[in-house]
Amino acid sequence: MADIARHAGVSEATVSRVLNDKPGVGPATREAVLTALDVLGYERPARLRQRSAGLVGMVVPELENPIFPMFAQAAERVLAQHGYTPVLCTQTPGGIVEDEYVEMLLERNVSGIIFVSGLHADTTANHDRYRALLQRRLPIVLVNGYVEGLPATFISPDDRAAARLAVNHLAALGHTRIGFASGPHRYVPVQRKLDGFKAAMLENGLDFHDDLVELSLFGVEGGHAAASRLLDRGVTAIVCGSDLMALGAIRAARQRNLTVPGDLSVVGYDDSPLIAFTDPPLTTVRQPIQAMALAAVRALCDEISGHAPARTEYMFEPELVVRGSTGVHRASLGEQVAPAGN
């Protein structure tokens, strides 16, 4: 009961009332407890089993990036309110791949599947796998990625606007040589952020050159490698494709005895948990995870209920969160600055 209470965020007394089918518990709280029961692998009491509306698959990438468990938790909460039990499928390098998870979910007769940053975000992948699911009339929602011509529901943050927010912020601080560090170009969010970065540089009257862009691997190590190359080219600020890459950029600066934001300003993306408590607290562009998770679950549940899905992409606005990793460019304060890395 303690495990269930902790997972559901309620008291043990509340868990006891739900398991014994006692009154005095709200519908949302009751579903949260029942969902915790399912997720933790406990069997529901017989009198409560019929209340489950079914299983919903949720396929997400590795959980090293805190933004993915953050989305899964938000979606799980909304699914529980609708009476569904989520089946979380986490992809890890060398582990079970997306198609294998889908087969497992189909064997369990799931009511629908939410894909988060899956192969639909990879422009080099074969997207017929999703067409096959649609032909089976299985409700699916695709988050963080877009496939032209695929008649599905897509939920995306406005990545172009996110890059614009970051560049506009840095330009307002007097930075003119701003670098862009992100993951591989084949991913739709990367392409969109890069488009927004280029557009914002030109809109701010700044020169854009290919040597201001470094595409590496997502994660701290990728951010470190990309930032090292950008610092060699004299950038004074870097827009990163994720918070983890931004942490890697800060590490690269410190290895050169550069200060952040004194010598280098860094902007992340996601606003994942604990980022506000890094050293320095990270300026980032917040991905609207809660709103996106709510929209994804509602769209899926509507389709499961028999309502015609909206075969379109819903775009959600990001938000700039200014903290301590960005500052005024020293040259703007009348100081003479040597190119970073010298």
Side-chain angles (χ1 to χ4, degrees):
M1 285 178 61
D3 289 342
I4 297 168
R6 191 180 307 111
H7 192 280
V10 299
S11 67
E12 291 185 36
T14 298
V15 174
S16 177
R17 283 197 292 271
V18 172
L19 296 183
N20 291 290
D21 206 19
K22 300 292 185 183
V25 181
T29 301
R30 183 178 297 274
E31 289 301 336
V33 171
L34 294 177
T35 298
L37 201 72
D38 296 332
V39 171
L40 294 173
Y42 296 110
E43 187 174 347
R44 292 188 180 198
R47 61 182 172 276
L48 300 178
R49 289 175 195 166
Q50 72 275 14
R51 296 189 181 181
S52 173
L55 302 175
V56 166
M58 190 156 34
V59 183
V60 301
E62 41 75 26
L63 298 181
E64 289 183 4
N65 187 336
I67 204 66
F68 295 126
M70 185 178 173
F71 181 93
Q73 185 177 40
E76 176 188 1
R77 189 179 305 116
V78 185
L79 283 168
Q81 292 171 359
H82 285 78
Y84 290 95
T85 301
V87 180
L88 184 62
C89 302
T90 305
Q91 301 180 71
T92 55
I96 298 178
V97 297
E98 183 175 307
D99 290 340
E100 292 172 330
Y101 271 131
V102 169
E103 287 302 318
M104 291 169 54
L105 292 171
L106 292 176
E107 289 174 3
R108 285 160 176 75
N109 296 315
V110 294
S111 301
I113 304 177
I114 298 174
F115 294 90
V116 183
S117 298
L119 292 172
H120 63 284
D122 188 341
T123 57
T124 65
N126 184 341
H127 298 128
D128 287 343
R129 51 177 49 86
Y130 302 113
R131 294 184 177 89
L133 293 175
L134 293 170
Q135 288 173 0
R136 295 178 61 142
R137 299 189 180 280
L138 179 75
I140 64 172
V141 173
L142 304 165
V143 181
N144 276 357
Y146 180 71
V147 180
E148 186 70 38
L150 184 67
T153 301
F154 294 90
I155 305 292
S156 304
D158 190 337
D159 290 302
R160 294 184 182 90
R164 279 194 170 95
L165 286 172
V167 172
N168 291 345
H169 170 61
L170 294 169
L173 293 173
H175 294 277
T176 57
R177 191 157 178 80
I178 303 170
F180 177 81
S182 193
H185 187 265
R186 68 178 185 272
Y187 294 110
V188 172
V190 175
Q191 295 176 7
R192 289 177 169 180
K193 286 188 182 75
L194 184 53
D195 288 345
F197 177 82
K198 291 179 182 178
M201 291 287 283
L202 297 176
E203 289 165 4
N204 282 279
L206 305 178
D207 291 333
F208 172 81
H209 303 289
D210 288 340
D211 66 350
L212 295 176
V213 176
E214 273 297 330
L215 301 182
S216 181
L217 299 175
F218 285 115
V220 175
E221 293 77 13
H224 182 279
S228 296
R229 291 189 286 269
L230 290 170
L231 285 168
D232 287 338
R233 297 166 196 159
V235 303
T236 63
I238 301 178
V239 175
C240 297
S242 74
D243 288 340
L244 293 183
M245 293 193 78
L247 296 181
I250 292 173
R251 187 173 72 180
R254 286 181 170 164
Q255 285 184 349
R256 297 174 180 229
N257 294 320
L258 301 176
T259 61
V260 177
D263 299 303
L264 178 72
S265 286
V266 178
V267 180
Y269 177 74
D270 283 335
D271 195 31
S272 45
L274 303 181
I275 283 300
F277 305 100
T278 57
D279 179 25
L282 186 67
T283 294
T284 188
V285 179
R286 177 178 295 155
Q287 190 175 166
I289 288 297
Q290 301 296 330
M292 290 169 57
L294 177 61
V297 172
R298 282 182 173 174
L300 189 75
C301 291
D302 282 349
E303 188 171 354
I304 293 172
S305 300
H307 300 290
R311 307 299 193 184
T312 187
E313 182 179 24
Y314 295 94
M315 201 80 77
F316 289 77
E317 285 298 311
E319 176 189 356
L320 178 69
V321 182
V322 179
R323 298 193 181 105
S325 66
T326 52
V328 176
H329 180 35
R330 285 181 176 175
S332 303
L333 298 174
E335 296 182 40
Q336 192 67 30
V337 214
N342 289 349

